[in-house]
Amino acid sequence: MADILIAGALDFSREDSRTFITHLGEEVIAQGHNLLNGCRNEFDRAIAQAVHAAATSRGIDPERRITSYVVAHADPAHTLGKVLRSRLAGWGLEFESLHVPEPVHEAEAVVVVGGKDGTLCAANWARIDNKPLLPVTAFGGAALTAYTEELKEFDAKYGGRLDRAQYEALNQVPSDLAKLARDVVALAARVQASRFVFAIMSFSDDPRMQDAYESFKEVCEEFEYECARVDNTTASGRIVPQILESIHRAAFVIADLSEQRPNVYYELGLAQGMKKPYIVTAAKGTLLPFDVHDVPTIFWENQKQLKDGLRRKVREIATSQGR
């Protein structure tokens, strides 16, 4: 289940605009997600109505699936679902004290459709807060501009968790609006920031390594990530599908080089090749090979040192991923 902000503006005198928004709302519910909403304009009202209708038809309480924010001192564009008052007087970028608007900050993916300056502002806030941004270009407007800019950053932002062709589907000329809506919502779920962290380390019986793994898990949980490793009993051959899949879906990896196992270096190399953020740790006294000796490494003598170092690194990654 993903929390998806859908923002924009369309000409609702056009049948294709009305049809697409209806399908988009249906897909949010059909695929099991929640709508975040700006509650500011006709578009916000239309997408909330579509999600509300889809939820009601399935016997789902709309208040559990629609959360809208309205800026302070403004009238809400609708009262569907749960409507909350923003702590901000406005969501523009011109205010002296800048804060990410709640609908953007709470979103796990941001979809923008059509629109003008307000939609472009929402897209820019998504970038500032490092949120996955999915501009649907079929209706032109600010979403087309946002798509062009976001595509330039594709490798850095989405590489390793999304194929470029999947993202470029946002730029398709739609012959089937229902399929376009289905693809957009599915992509929003797929591209949301992962909470999974893959631990790459020796499966040694050394109690220090067991304690290190527990430290990995503890620190990750503090930042609402889930850390796990592929149990060595599943391994066969050079590399198992579970390891490749785990690296691919991870938000980042933690690699401990203390025992200098070849598979650990190999898996760390795979993560680097997939452009995954990574944290390297090693017990104090570990002599690292020349090709990784200059990689920033947390050297630890005890678990307190390890956890303190991990917290600093995980906090940096969490911030960069909009957590």
Side-chain angles (χ1 to χ4, degrees):
M1 177 179 286
D3 294 327
I4 305 172
L5 170 61
I6 302 177
L10 289 174
D11 178 1
F12 286 104
S13 67
R14 292 175 47 176
E15 183 179 355
D16 59 346
S17 296
R18 299 192 302 272
T19 299
F20 179 66
I21 290 301
T22 297
H23 287 312
L24 200 58
E26 290 172 348
E27 289 299 330
V28 168
I29 295 300
Q31 296 186 36
H33 306 305
N34 300 321
L35 174 71
L36 286 167
N37 187 263
C39 206
R40 303 180 69 185
N41 59 23
E42 184 182 12
F43 181 96
D44 295 331
R45 181 169 59 251
I47 187 62
Q49 287 173 337
V51 173
H52 187 280
T56 302
S57 70
R58 290 169 171 79
I60 298 171
D61 181 0
E63 285 210 4
R64 297 175 57 190
R65 307 302 282 276
I66 305 171
T67 300
S68 302
Y69 284 90
V70 58
V71 294
H73 313 302
D75 294 328
H78 64 81
T79 57
L80 301 169
K82 181 167 56 179
V83 180
L84 304 175
R85 182 70 63 180
S86 172
R87 63 189 175 90
L88 304 176
W91 294 340
L93 294 166
E94 71 276 10
F95 293 91
E96 289 185 9
S97 179
L98 292 178
H99 297 280
V100 179
E102 293 93 340
V104 175
H105 187 62
E106 294 179 10
E108 292 172 290
V110 176
V111 175
V112 294
V113 184
K116 295 182 180 179
D117 290 347
T119 303
L120 198 57
C121 183
N124 286 334
W125 275 124
R127 291 195 188 96
I128 289 169
D129 208 28
N130 293 299
K131 299 295 184 179
L133 176 61
L134 307 179
V136 180
T137 67
F139 299 89
L144 181 56
T145 302
Y147 172 83
T148 302
E149 292 302 311
E150 194 73 358
L151 196 61
K152 295 176 183 177
E153 305 296 325
F154 178 85
D155 289 339
K157 192 168 181 179
Y158 304 105
R161 57 181 164 135
L162 197 67
D163 292 335
R164 194 179 187 92
Q166 292 174 310
Y167 194 85
E168 289 176 341
L170 294 166
N171 195 34
Q172 64 182 282
V173 177
S175 57
D176 183 342
L177 291 173
K179 181 180 183 302
L180 176 61
R182 185 164 56 252
D183 290 347
V184 169
V185 174
L187 188 61
R190 188 178 300 118
V191 79
Q192 65 177 307
S194 173
R195 290 185 171 88
F196 174 67
V197 177
F198 184 51
I200 300 171
M201 62 193 308
S202 164
F203 290 102
S204 168
D205 292 330
D206 185 336
R208 293 190 312 161
M209 299 309 299
Q210 299 299 324
D211 290 343
Y213 179 48
E214 293 302 318
S215 293
F216 291 177
K217 293 194 293 183
E218 179 182 328
V219 172
C220 286
E221 286 174 4
E222 292 175 11
F223 294 88
E224 299 183 349
Y225 290 104
E226 178 185 357
C227 180
R229 62 186 182 185
V230 174
D231 190 273
N232 61 337
T233 60
T234 66
S236 61
R238 292 176 57 241
I239 190 76
V240 293
Q242 295 96 320
I243 290 175
L244 284 171
E245 193 274 335
S246 294
I247 295 173
H248 191 273
R249 70 184 178 91
F252 62 94
V253 303
I254 304 175
D256 188 273
L257 307 181
S258 298
E259 298 195 348
Q260 303 198 46
R261 299 293 176 88
N263 67 293
V264 173
Y265 286 103
Y266 181 54
E267 292 164 27
L268 176 59
L270 287 173
Q272 291 174 320
M274 293 183 191
K275 302 184 185 303
K276 292 290 181 180
Y278 58 88
I279 298 171
V280 176
T281 69
K284 189 173 181 180
T286 302
L287 298 177
L288 300 180
F290 76 95
D291 52 351
V292 295
H293 79 276
D294 59 345
V295 173
T297 302
I298 301 169
F299 287 101
W300 52 273
E301 288 186 279
N302 53 57
Q303 297 310 306
K304 182 181 184 304
Q305 286 182 349
L306 176 57
K307 286 188 278 192
D308 287 346
L310 282 173
R311 286 189 184 98
R312 289 191 294 271
K313 293 293 187 180
V314 174
R315 183 177 291 108
E316 291 174 4
I317 292 174
T319 299
S320 73
Q321 295 181 344
R323 300 294 295 275

